Amino acid sequence: MTVLPTEAPARGRLPLRALRAGAFLRRDAGLLLPAAFATLLLVLALAAPLLAPYDPVAGSLRVRLLDPGSPGHLLGTDGQGRDVLSRLVWGARPSLIGGIVPVAIAATAGTALGIAAGLGGRVTEQALLRSLDVLYAFPGILLAMTIATLMPAGLGATVLSLSIVLTPAVARVAHTEVARIRTAEYLEAARVSGAGRATVAVRQVLPVVAPVVLAYASSLIGLSVVYAAGLSFLGLGVPPPTAEWGAMLDDLRPALLTHPGIAVLPAVTILIVSVVFNTLGEALRRRIGDSRDLAPEAVR
């Protein structure tokens, strides 16, 4: 009796599972890579005591302004002999707090204000929007500086001032999304069924608005990091000798002409972090746009 061989996959063809995995990676690589880098930055900040080779505030004038690659100091030392690598690692904590916490506060407050404006009626909508426009009219960094000068210098001043600066922009995004869906049939059905305004806002509107705000807020983190560094650079943020990227720029400014390789390291770090979070926000925005195209009209 002849035994027929089992059917072999055609040469050059991959199993269906491998094809699906490859398609997933190609489609989501733009989201997974910046998300992985952002996670790595957070881990770096949390693990600073374990990763930093030296005390970030301890230095010695005998080893001041060593160039990158010097023995024992991979990225050199600053004008007070403090290890630049250790200060960059420790500086990730206040710098990322100044970038993420204000965005989280602004996302929460802005979403609430945007939904309230979109569902609160004509008078409430105009009152909230015009009030937010007053704040939105000021350049962000100037408004942050004005608010920070009224408070004692520190991380709290940075967080509060940037939260106020970013909230109007988030509120406008949330309001635009609410205005897009507030006449949808499923919202009318919820109102007719007896659901109150708060119930409609939380159960029907918030799930639609939240992903859009999340994508937009992710792209604001990079801007917030830059603003926080600018406040510290001007002496309005985290005070010395605390390691913070903006404060490090100010400390290394006198060495810019004589030791540029050291002086630009905090700026390069800020640039990299800003690009990572901007890329993450753009990837989330594209992903949400793709999901909208596939979503039924009733739940959009």
Side-chain angles (χ1 to χ4, degrees), residues 7-228:
E7 183 179 355
R11 180 176 299 179
R13 297 180 61 183
L14 295 174
L16 181 58
R17 181 177 300 177
L19 290 174
R20 288 177 177 174
F24 173 81
L25 291 176
R26 286 194 301 271
R27 183 185 63 190
D28 287 9
L31 177 60
L32 293 177
L33 290 178
F37 278 114
T39 303
L40 181 62
L41 288 171
L42 295 177
V43 172
L44 178 68
L46 293 174
L50 302 176
L51 298 177
Y54 296 96
D55 186 336
V57 298
S60 174
L61 296 180
R62 292 178 298 178
V63 292
R64 64 187 299 268
L65 293 177
L66 294 180
D67 291 325
S70 300
H73 299 279
L74 182 62
L75 297 182
T77 58
D78 64 7
Q80 299 183 38
R82 298 172 296 193
D83 184 66
V84 172
L85 176 59
S86 299
R87 290 183 62 78
L88 286 175
V89 172
W90 275 96
R93 285 188 169 187
S95 298
L96 290 181
I97 290 175
I100 295 175
V101 175
V103 172
I105 295 174
T108 303
T111 300
L113 290 173
I115 293 176
L119 301 179
R122 180 73 176 176
V123 175
T124 302
E125 181 179 33
Q126 291 302 314
L128 287 175
L129 292 181
R130 299 294 79 80
S131 299
L132 293 172
D133 285 344
V134 173
L135 295 176
Y136 200 77
F138 289 93
I141 187 62
L142 294 182
L143 180 59
M145 290 169 55
T146 302
I147 298 171
T149 55
L150 302 176
M151 304 175 61
L155 193 56
T158 299
V159 170
L160 179 60
S161 60
L162 294 183
S163 299
I164 296 174
V165 167
L166 299 176
T167 296
V170 178
R172 291 179 63 160
V173 170
H175 173 262
T176 300
E177 193 66 14
V178 175
R180 185 181 67 85
I181 66 170
R182 61 186 170 189
T183 57
E185 294 181 359
Y186 70 96
L187 291 185
E188 292 295 335
R191 297 187 186 101
V192 170
S193 66
R197 185 173 298 173
T199 302
V200 172
V202 173
R203 301 188 60 181
Q204 304 293 337
V205 176
L206 183 59
V208 178
V209 175
V212 179
V213 171
L214 175 62
Y216 181 70
S218 299
S219 64
L220 288 179
I221 294 176
L223 178 64
S224 184
V225 169
V226 173
Y227 279 0

